[in-house]
Amino acid sequence: GPTRKMPLTASAMDFFQLFVPDNVLKNMVVQTNMYAKKYQERFGSDDAWIDVTLTEMKAFLGYMISTSIHHCESVLSIWSSGFYSNKSIALIMTQSRFEKILKYFHVVAFRSSQTTHSLYKIQPFLDSLQNGFDSAFRPSQAQVLHEPLIDEDPVFIATCTERELRKRKKRKFSLWVRQCSSTGFICQIYVHLKEGSGADGLDALKNKPQLHSMVAKSLCQNAAGKNYIIFTGPSITSLNLFEEFEKQGIYCCGLLSTRKSDCTGLPPSMLNNSETPQSRGQYRIRMKGNMSLICWYNKGHFRFLTNAYSPVQQGVIIKRKSGEIPCPLAVEAFAAHLSYICKYDDKYSKYFISHKPNKTWQQVFWFAISIAINNAYILYKMSEAYHVTRYSRAQFGERLVKELLGLEDTSPSH
């Protein structure tokens, strides 16, 4: 749960600033102004540009965050006269001023001589965000490694033409998270760039199990020695990785797939489906030290690798139509934690910022801001302030937008 007690009067902005405080926003102001100055020295002066202020930077973020609630395809729709126009917030800043800030917006204006990382333009922001996550929240023992659902807005995909779809560039990165499976709080973010040379570039992508093992190690570098139980999908699950984690005091439970998983070191007899017909709930077990490989049958064979649960402990999976199906406790635990994450994706993925910039670092930045707001809402729901004013996720987002824009309206929006 939260590490600090927030006051009853804490606003949406107070929770958001646990992760994106004023000093981070002030740095964005400085870097944006530096970039604008350098840009104009190189390409000619821009008479319409005036240095951005902290108040304007907050308003700029507010406009961007508003797209996560109203899902307009372009943030500029706010100033239009169409369906997505928003006269109540459009008056705070003119469209031309907003476009100027958008043109020059930077988190890190210049590459230092020591920088080799491709995400150098936002790495300091991601590090600051990580520190905020670590200091504001203590996760539960059970956590999940996965890629959160950050796909395109389904309403837009359903309405746009094939030509528009082809024009839209595919993301050049994948985003992985370590997430507390009892609250949904995202404890750590890892961004993998799909282009570029080196250990984390295209060469690594060709070797998927090695890549996913690298992602898992990066996400769990702060988890050693804390007796966490990490749940993983088929792409990450492997005997070598789980044994390495066990030495660090991290325990695992993962779904295995003969097609997607690295099955090195596992007995082939357990990876092949038995020819004799099996009834639902039957399972076979093979053990090596603390590690158990479970092959469980339920309208198909499911294999699990775990060192966190005893294979002899019984559990049940409850299905609406077929009732209770017996299974090892590891299978029940895996299903429960994964279903929670599916619920999280269903509830929170629709609140990702809709703005789709071309630059990869900006795409990562807006995804990271969206995750920070979702985390802020989770902390808000766990605080006493929630019992005073029970805002939904959409209302919380609207409150945050109004507070960033400096609007004084404090009544909950419906």
Side-chain angles (χ1 to χ4, degrees):
T3 56
R4 69 190 77 177
K5 190 174 181 180
M6 298 293 280
L8 290 170
T9 54
S11 64
M13 186 75 163
D14 293 332
F15 287 97
F16 177 64
Q17 292 214 303
L18 291 173
F19 310 125
V20 188
D22 268 354
N23 64 324
V24 171
L25 297 175
K26 284 173 185 171
N27 180 59
M28 290 178 197
V29 170
V30 172
Q31 297 292 332
T32 299
N33 290 334
M34 281 169 59
Y35 181 79
K37 185 181 176 186
K38 195 75 176 175
Y39 184 95
Q40 289 172 49
E41 284 173 5
R42 189 172 176 187
F43 298 107
S45 63
D46 182 350
D47 296 333
W49 173 253
I50 306 163
D51 276 0
V52 70
T53 63
L54 179 61
T55 305
E56 285 182 313
M57 184 57 75
K58 285 182 178 179
F60 172 76
L61 285 180
Y63 284 125
M64 286 297 194
I65 292 166
S66 71
T67 67
S68 68
I69 306 154
H70 304 295
H71 299 292
C72 44
E73 184 49 30
S74 167
V75 66
L76 301 180
S77 305
I78 291 166
W79 291 273
S80 72
S81 55
F83 179 75
Y84 288 114
S85 66
N86 193 333
K87 296 286 185 286
S88 64
I89 64 173
L91 301 172
I92 303 297
M93 186 185 287
T94 63
Q95 181 178 337
S96 58
R97 178 59 177 163
F98 174 85
E99 288 183 271
K100 282 291 177 204
I101 298 173
L102 182 61
K103 178 181 177 180
Y104 295 123
F105 174 70
H106 265 70
V107 180
V108 174
F110 308 112
R111 184 195 289 261
S112 68
S113 54
Q114 296 87 23
T115 307
T116 55
H117 199 281
S118 308
L119 284 174
Y120 76 93
K121 281 184 179 283
I122 55 160
Q123 196 56 54
F125 173 74
L126 293 177
D127 293 342
S128 165
L129 204 59
Q130 187 58 57
N131 290 335
F133 292 170
D134 290 342
S135 62
F137 185 82
R138 279 189 307 270
S140 65
Q141 184 184 29
Q143 293 163 42
V144 179
L145 303 187
H146 73 123
E147 289 184 271
L149 197 65
I150 49 174
D151 292 327
E152 303 283 8
D153 179 23
V155 175
F156 171 73
I157 293 298
T159 55
C160 72
T161 63
E162 278 186 37
R163 187 162 170 264
E164 284 174 320
L165 273 175
R166 280 199 300 273
K167 276 169 65 181
R168 291 176 76 78
K169 293 179 181 176
K170 287 188 175 177
R171 283 204 311 271
K172 294 180 182 176
F173 66 93
S174 55
L175 186 75
W176 293 77
V177 299
R178 175 164 59 86
Q179 189 168 10
C180 169
S181 62
S182 56
T183 59
F185 189 95
I186 288 177
C187 310
Q188 197 160 350
I189 300 172
Y190 178 81
V191 181
H192 170 74
L193 293 174
K194 294 179 182 176
E195 289 186 353
S197 56
D200 60 347
L202 277 175
D203 299 334
L205 257 181
K206 289 170 188 168
N207 188 346
K208 283 270 177 83
Q210 191 181 336
L211 165 71
H212 292 142
S213 172
M214 180 191 76
V215 169
K217 287 173 189 172
S218 298
L219 284 171
C220 293
Q221 59 191 4
N222 300 330
K226 295 178 181 175
N227 288 327
Y228 288 155
I229 298 174
I230 304 292
F231 292 88
T232 62
S235 58
I236 292 178
T237 304
S238 79
L239 180 63
N240 292 337
L241 179 68
F242 282 16
E243 287 179 335
E244 198 174 320
F245 275 170
E246 189 175 356
K247 289 172 188 169
Q248 299 172 29
I250 303 169
Y251 299 92
C252 306
C253 180
L255 181 64
L256 263 176
S257 159
T258 50
R259 195 165 49 89
K260 293 181 182 176
S261 305
D262 176 8
C263 296
T264 310
L266 298 173
S269 61
M270 290 290 284
L271 302 175
N272 300 325
N273 296 338
S274 61
E275 293 176 11
T276 54
Q278 290 185 287
S279 58
R280 294 176 77 176
Q282 280 192 315
Y283 58 91
R284 294 178 292 149
I285 298 166
R286 287 285 293 275
M287 291 188 71
K288 177 190 174 186
N290 292 331
M291 202 71 65
S292 309
L293 174 57
I294 301 165
C295 181
W296 178 67
Y297 184 81
N298 177 28
K299 290 188 178 178
H301 289 87
F302 295 88
R303 294 171 180 83
F304 296 87
L305 190 66
T306 182
N307 56 2
Y309 297 92
S310 163
V312 295
Q313 280 188 287
Q314 291 294 308
V316 287
I317 285 184
I318 300 170
K319 297 281 184 185
R320 262 184 239 139
K321 291 182 180 175
S322 45
E324 293 186 355
I325 303 164
C327 65
L329 186 61
V331 179
E332 182 190 335
F334 184 89
H337 292 296
L338 217 64
S339 71
Y340 185 89
I341 296 307
C342 291
K343 284 178 192 167
Y344 173 90
D345 279 345
D346 290 345
K347 182 173 181 180
Y348 290 103
S349 64
K350 60 176 177 249
Y351 294 110
F352 277 82
I353 291 167
S354 297
H355 176 66
K356 301 287 190 296
N358 286 328
K359 291 186 172 67
T360 299
W361 73 264
Q362 290 183 2
Q363 292 173 16
V364 175
F365 176 80
W366 295 117
F367 280 134
I369 288 283
S370 301
I371 286 172
I373 299 167
N374 285 340
N375 276 355
Y377 181 68
I378 288 167
L379 290 188
Y380 160 71
K381 281 196 78 174
M382 297 173 80
S383 74
E384 292 178 3
Y386 179 68
H387 300 293
V388 178
T389 51
R390 288 175 174 260
Y391 293 132
S392 66
R393 173 62 184 84
Q395 289 172 331
F396 183 84
E398 287 182 358
R399 296 297 311 145
L400 179 60
V401 169
K402 286 184 176 180
E403 286 162 28
L404 283 165
L405 289 166
L407 295 167
E408 293 305 313
D409 177 21
T410 53
S411 62
S413 36
H414 297 284

